[in-house]
Amino acid sequence: MLFPASFTLAARWIVFALVSLVSVVFLPTIHSVPAMVAVLVVLGIGLGPTLVTIFSLGSARAPVGRSATVMTILSSAVVVGQSLLTAVTGRVVDAFGTSVSMWFPIGSVVLMVLFGLWNARIEKGIRTAS
C-alpha cells in the first residue's frame, strides 16, 4: 500500500481534489506554455489519485459479484462526462473565446471537491450505523 490505512479513501478524495483545485484556479491567468505545463502537472498529481480513489470506492461498495459492472459504469461516466463537457466547452469557445472556457475546469474540480465532501459525510454515516 502506498498510503497508510489511516489515510482513508474519503480523505484521499478530498485531499487530492483540493490539490487539483489549487492548480486549476490559475488557469484563467496563464499566458505562457511553461506556466500551463506547470499547472497541468499539478492538476494531474491531484486528478489521477482522485480518480483511482473513486474507482476504489466503487469497487469497495459494489455488491458481491458486481464489481465489473460498477467499474464499467464508472468508466463510462468518465467518458460521457468528458465528452459532454468538451462539446459544451467547444461551443462556449466559439461564442465567447478561450478566456471564458477556462472557468469550466474550475467548476468541474469544485464539483469534485463537493462530491468528495458528500462522500465523506456518507462514509461517516455508514461507520456510525455499523
Side-chain angles (χ1 to χ4, degrees):
M1 264 181 112
L2 185 59
F3 298 114
S6 59
F7 189 28
T8 65
L9 290 174
R12 291 178 205 178
W13 185 341
I14 294 166
V15 167
F16 288 113
L18 287 171
V19 169
S20 295
L21 184 60
V22 166
S23 70
V24 81
V25 295
F26 292 103
L27 280 178
T29 65
I30 293 176
H31 301 291
S32 71
V33 173
M36 179 63 83
V37 169
V39 166
L40 292 178
V41 165
V42 176
L43 176 61
I45 289 169
L47 186 59
T50 303
L51 286 172
V52 170
T53 299
I54 292 168
F55 277 75
S56 297
L57 283 166
S59 176
R61 292 180 180 165
V64 176
R66 297 288 185 203
S67 61
T69 303
V70 171
M71 293 299 135
T72 301
I73 291 168
L74 288 171
S75 297
S76 297
V78 169
V79 171
V80 170
Q82 185 174 3
S83 298
L84 287 172
L85 191 58
T86 300
V88 170
T89 304
R91 298 288 287 188
V92 169
V93 168
D94 287 344
F96 303 104
T98 56
S99 61
V100 174
S101 69
M102 291 298 173
W103 293 96
F104 282 87
I106 295 170
S108 296
V109 175
V110 166
L111 283 173
M112 190 167 63
V113 171
L114 292 175
F115 285 134
L117 293 169
W118 186 22
N119 172 68
R121 187 172 178 178
I122 290 169
E123 278 201 8
K124 184 178 179 183
I126 291 170
R127 278 182 276 152
T128 303
S130 297

